[in-house]
Amino acid sequence: MSRTTARFGGYALLSVVGLLGGVALGRPELVAVAAPAVLILGFGLLGAQTPAPQVSISADRRRALEGELVDVEIVITAERAIPRLHLSIALPAGLTIDEEEAPTAVRAGGREIELLTPLVDGEVAVRLPVRCQRWGAYRRVGIELTASDFFGLFRYAAALSGVVSLKVFPAENLLARLLAPVETQLGLGELLSRRRGDGLEFAELRSYAPGDDRRRINWRASARGRGVWVNEHHPDRNGDVVLLIDSSRASRATDEEVLDLAVSAAASLASGHLGRRDRVGLIVLGGRLVWIRPRMASAQRYQILDVLTDSRRFRRPETAGAIRVPYRALPPQSLVVGVSPMLDQAVVAAFGDLRGRGFDMAIVEIASEELTPVPISEEGRLARRIWLLERDRVRRRFARSGVAFARWNPEDPFDYALGEVASLRRSMMRSRG
Amino acid sequence: MSQAAAGLLLAAAVVAYPVLGPTSLRGLYVFIGVIGVAALMVAVLASVPGLVGLGLLILFSEFAASLVARDQLDWGAPLYGAALLLLGELAHGLAARNLPGPVGAEPVRTLVVAALATASGYVVLALVALPVPHGELLLAVGAGVAAALVLGLAGLTRARR
């Protein structure tokens, strides 16, 4: 609804006093002095109308990767022209307006702009080049709209909310190495099965048996005169990998940063394993339990990214009760890779439960203590030491139960922690024979 | 010239105009005028646009008081009115400069209205100055028109709400 401004009040006072005072005192000069105020009020009142504008927002695409530029168009329509329209557009955190291509100066860390524009022919469109700074699902864009008539006598203000459906996927890093499940599946892939069969990778020699393909005879070994030997190979197989992401809000100080790290690591792992033709699944713990069963198709990558992007929505302040990952979410013989700050006791217990159910597990712990400030007080430091000891105890418990466990310092690339887990798994497998 | 400097010059002119005529109450007029300008300055410096109307009214009352000492028509009144309007526009624009959104009136349209108002002010003064028979009747018509204008503006304002 339009409101009158202070200008309207001032001129109305001057008009009334001038006209009535002129008549009462019999001085036409007072009427002449008040005439400009009377005319402005008259023109303003005759011309002003409530604009009641509407807003619609659209992005040039629905999905983007972190760091990409997306064109967002904001269209404001009104039944009547608005001579002077002031827009204040605020984007949600995680999206920023590209300053170089912005139509006007950008403020609030790149999230807000103000624009003064007329709305002619009932429509005005503003194109915003928006940089996707952070992964996530974005919907609402806040728009504060202020309109004024030509003489500034009336002011229309409205806070509108435009809906834009934009999903920003986390950026994927190319990982130098990936983990290999202990047991492979029957699908063709890049993993070497421990079993013997058709494949390229040499496994061992064995004596020739009737029915063996003559092309597999190892002539060099057979020439030594101790019988006929044939080559055995490891078949090329794929594996089932289930990524387990902890989205719990156990530490308010660091939870956003930790979730960013977990999501980025999961996106990189999913992309790497799917590229290796593994079947990849996803479980998001810590709030609402969400899972995707392992599949191979490239569409699976987008499904995983979709769920990861929404993972912020699944979060709860605290995980209520024990988490029980359903059997159908985890195929037998799959490798479970957990990425977690290991702060939520329910999540730690869920990891222990999975190991207890015999799953091949690897855990990358996000070292959240590196992100929390060291307390100043003596009591605080003591509490921190106890907390660190407790975390150390949890790590040792997992290591004893045969889980490859590595800490990931957020300042280092994820590859470092993954490499450590891979080395641990190799040495564990060697020690088991 | 900056808006503030233009405003100060205009304010000085508006305060000085009423004391130019033959009067023994110059000190009083200047005092009223200075209070009016002070109100405008407070409005601008404290960003309180609501005070601008009060400042304009005080300046207007300085002009009205100066008319008491004059027997003849003041032909400068329409120009004084236009100057008062421009001063008000400058003060409103400066007082609301920190508020979000469009704050000032459109300058060209405001100047056109000021010119129109000056012309209509001269028409009013000319009608009053004309030596016509039954001048009382004309005065009554003028009073009626003024009352109709007040009522019309009130009606339009009510309709807008």
Side-chain angles (χ1 to χ4, degrees):
Chain A
M1 187 177 165
S2 295
R3 289 177 184 279
T4 53
T5 60
R7 184 182 263 110
F8 180 92
Y11 290 151
L13 196 64
L14 204 60
S15 302
V16 172
V17 171
L19 290 172
L20 298 183
V23 171
L25 298 173
R27 299 298 306 217
E29 295 95 328
L30 296 182
V31 175
V33 171
V38 174
L39 278 186
I40 281 213
L41 277 185
F43 284 130
L45 282 165
L46 288 171
Q49 283 164 327
T50 303
Q54 292 182 322
V55 66
S56 70
I57 300 185
S58 60
D60 63 348
R61 63 195 126 142
R62 294 170 66 91
R63 292 182 169 87
L65 278 175
E66 255 181 348
E68 280 187 340
L69 207 61
V70 174
D71 270 348
V72 172
E73 192 177 50
I74 299 171
V75 179
I76 292 148
T77 50
E79 286 179 10
R80 304 176 185 93
I82 304 174
R84 309 161 90 213
L85 179 68
H86 176 266
L87 295 171
S88 173
I89 300 165
L91 296 178
L95 299 179
T96 57
I97 300 158
D98 196 61
E99 293 201 25
E100 285 178 10
E101 293 184 45
T104 181
V106 181
R107 60 178 202 190
R111 284 178 48 215
E112 283 185 22
I113 62 160
E114 285 196 17
L115 206 63
L116 191 60
T117 173
L119 189 146
V120 284
D121 301 330
E123 184 176 302
V124 66
V126 181
R127 192 189 69 83
L128 293 181
V130 172
R131 178 83 56 192
C132 306
Q133 294 285 6
R134 189 160 179 245
W135 62 271
Y138 298 99
R139 277 184 66 76
R140 302 217 168 266
V141 174
I143 297 169
E144 280 183 19
L145 190 143
T146 318
S148 162
D149 63 321
F150 284 119
F151 298 108
L153 299 173
F154 299 97
R155 189 180 173 85
Y156 173 88
L160 305 171
S161 173
V163 175
V164 60
S165 290
L166 177 64
K167 280 199 167 185
V168 179
F169 292 152
E172 299 162 359
N173 299 315
L174 191 64
L175 299 174
R177 70 181 88 188
L178 294 167
L179 303 180
V182 174
E183 297 294 338
T184 52
Q185 304 295 324
L186 289 175
L188 187 67
E190 292 180 15
L191 291 175
L192 291 177
S193 170
R194 290 196 295 172
R195 299 169 204 287
R196 311 283 180 259
D198 290 332
L200 293 173
E201 192 71 18
F202 174 76
E204 62 180 356
L205 288 173
R206 68 163 171 81
S207 298
Y208 178 81
D212 278 344
D213 189 346
R214 272 183 292 175
R215 281 176 298 184
R216 289 171 62 185
I217 292 173
N218 188 322
W219 294 106
R220 185 171 291 187
S222 303
R224 291 184 189 134
R226 292 183 200 153
V228 181
W229 295 89
V230 291
N231 289 335
E232 282 271 64
H233 291 89
H234 289 295
D236 296 325
R237 292 286 182 256
N238 66 353
D240 284 351
V241 179
V242 177
L243 307 172
L244 221 149
I245 299 303
D246 174 5
S247 69
S248 62
R249 311 190 72 163
S251 161
R252 285 187 187 174
T254 60
D255 59 359
E256 284 296 319
E257 203 170 343
V258 166
L259 186 64
D260 278 356
L261 291 165
V263 165
S264 154
S268 306
L269 280 170
S271 172
H273 281 285
L274 284 168
R276 205 173 68 175
R277 299 176 63 83
D278 288 333
R279 298 199 310 165
V280 182
L282 176 73
I283 299 174
V284 181
L285 293 176
R288 210 175 89 202
L289 186 69
V290 180
W291 76 86
I292 305 172
R293 277 186 64 82
R295 286 197 196 92
M296 256 175 68
S298 62
Q300 180 76 347
R301 177 172 167 245
Y302 290 101
Q303 206 169 349
I304 288 174
L305 287 174
D306 251 352
V307 172
L308 286 174
T309 304
D310 284 331
S311 58
R312 209 177 279 136
R313 284 198 300 129
F314 308 144
R315 309 174 89 183
R316 300 271 190 277
E318 277 176 30
T319 308
I323 303 168
R324 180 83 181 165
V325 179
Y327 276 100
R328 59 184 184 280
L330 287 159
Q333 298 177 338
S334 51
L335 164 65
V336 180
V337 184
V339 183
S340 161
M342 306 293 277
L343 291 171
D344 189 334
Q345 291 308 307
V347 173
V348 174
F351 283 167
D353 174 57
L354 288 174
R355 182 60 191 153
R357 281 151 66 178
F359 283 102
D360 177 18
M361 277 198 80
I363 297 176
V364 176
E365 181 205 340
I366 299 167
S368 56
E369 59 263 32
E370 304 288 342
L371 300 171
T372 50
V374 178
I376 300 165
S377 69
E378 194 59 40
E379 294 87 352
R381 280 205 291 268
L382 188 62
R384 185 181 165 88
R385 277 185 63 194
I386 295 169
W387 176 61
L388 292 176
L389 284 170
E390 178 62 26
R391 289 172 66 74
D392 205 37
R393 189 184 67 81
V394 171
R395 279 181 213 121
R396 280 206 297 273
R397 182 157 62 85
F398 276 105
R400 272 201 305 275
S401 64
V403 175
F405 197 105
R407 286 180 72 232
W408 173 23
N409 186 337
E411 288 174 6
D412 296 332
F414 179 61
D415 250 343
Y416 287 12
L418 200 63
E420 201 179 322
V421 172
S423 313
L424 268 171
R425 282 172 63 79
R426 269 199 304 276
S427 59
M428 279 174 176
M429 280 187 220
R430 270 200 299 271
S431 64
R432 280 183 212 147
Chain B
M1 193 189 300
S2 73
Q3 273 190 317
L8 280 174
L9 274 179
L10 212 50
V14 166
V15 171
Y17 178 75
V19 297
L20 291 179
T23 175
S24 57
L25 296 170
R26 279 201 181 87
L28 177 68
Y29 300 156
V30 170
F31 177 70
I32 297 173
V34 168
I35 291 176
V37 173
L40 291 181
M41 287 181 79
V42 170
V44 169
L45 294 174
S47 293
V48 187
L51 273 181
V52 174
L54 182 68
L56 293 180
L57 196 65
I58 295 171
L59 288 171
F60 178 82
S61 57
E62 181 205 357
F63 177 79
S66 74
L67 288 179
V68 176
R70 293 177 198 233
D71 296 332
Q72 297 192 338
L73 273 179
D74 183 354
W75 289 94
L79 283 174
Y80 178 85
L84 202 62
L85 174 82
L86 295 180
L87 179 63
E89 281 305 314
L90 283 171
H92 273 122
L94 288 168
R97 66 191 179 283
N98 293 328
L99 298 178
V103 289
E106 203 195 51
V108 176
R109 283 173 196 255
T110 306
L111 286 173
V112 169
V113 168
L116 271 176
T118 308
S120 50
Y122 276 113
V123 169
V124 169
L125 293 186
L127 283 173
V128 172
L130 276 176
V132 287
H134 308 295
E136 297 80 11
L137 188 65
L138 194 61
L139 194 65
V141 170
V145 169
L149 273 173
V150 171
L151 289 175
L153 288 176
L156 276 172
T157 308
R158 201 170 167 187
R160 285 280 310 147
R161 287 167 192 261

